[in-house]
Amino acid sequence: MDELKKAGLQTTKTRIEILNLLHEEFPLNADQIFDKLKNDKIKISSIYRNLATFTDADIVLKSVGQDGVAYYQLNNENHIHQIICTNCGKTIDLDHCPVHEIEKKIEEQTGFKITGHTFEFSGLCPDCQNS
């Protein structure tokens, strides 16, 4: 996997399985990853350990939802953001990342090379507004 090589991390079966899953589905929490990979006999502790390693290496983005659970997705141009209803918990995926334009301006102003971000919207969904 290119992500592992770029980060200087060892390529293992478990890491490949987790990254392959995150290429297909995202965002996912550790329990969801465990459930989807349970046929591969990967321990939940190994999933948590690798997710922490991936986060430290900027391979994945970690965000904590309003449910208090950490969700993970690849740190690439395909990541998504969500808007979450603070009343009923309904979640809608946004079709694009609204932060990329802001990142470019921040990089120009600060000289930083931004490698990732977390961003979450919350509010009341139309159903909850009408009730």
Side-chain angles (χ1 to χ4, degrees):
M1 309 246 27
D2 288 339
E3 296 101 333
L4 296 173
K5 288 178 185 175
K6 286 179 186 175
L9 297 174
Q10 184 178 13
T11 301
T12 66
K13 182 180 183 272
T14 299
R15 288 179 176 171
I16 292 169
E17 292 294 323
I18 294 170
L19 290 175
N20 282 341
L21 179 60
L22 290 174
H23 274 283
E24 296 171 15
E25 299 180 49
F26 54 89
L28 295 172
N29 65 46
D31 289 332
Q32 291 169 322
I33 293 170
F34 177 73
D35 287 341
K36 292 177 184 297
L37 298 179
K38 64 184 170 191
N39 291 338
D40 296 328
K41 298 182 173 134
I42 298 172
K43 294 179 182 178
I44 190 74
S45 59
S46 182
I47 291 171
Y48 277 108
R49 208 170 26 256
N50 280 292
L51 289 171
T53 299
F54 294 161
T55 302
D56 290 343
D58 290 324
I59 294 171
V60 299
L61 300 173
K62 173 185 174 182
S63 60
V64 178
Q66 290 189 341
D67 56 4
V69 176
Y71 292 87
Y72 301 87
Q73 59 184 314
L74 293 175
N75 185 8
N76 62 22
E77 67 280 350
N78 297 325
H79 70 272
I80 61 170
H81 295 285
Q82 299 174 318
I83 186 164
I84 302 165
C85 180
T86 55
N87 188 50
C88 70
K90 179 179 184 177
T91 302
I92 296 175
D93 294 340
L94 302 178
D95 61 354
H96 72 287
C97 176
V99 181
H100 288 303
E101 295 81 27
I102 297 168
E103 281 183 345
K104 289 177 188 172
K105 288 181 182 177
I106 293 171
E107 285 179 336
E108 289 171 4
Q109 292 173 351
T110 65
F112 274 69
K113 172 64 178 147
I114 297 174
T115 58
H117 62 263
T118 57
F119 196 65
E120 181 179 285
F121 292 99
S122 61
L124 291 174
C125 70
D127 293 336
C128 290
Q129 290 176 50
N130 294 328
S131 60

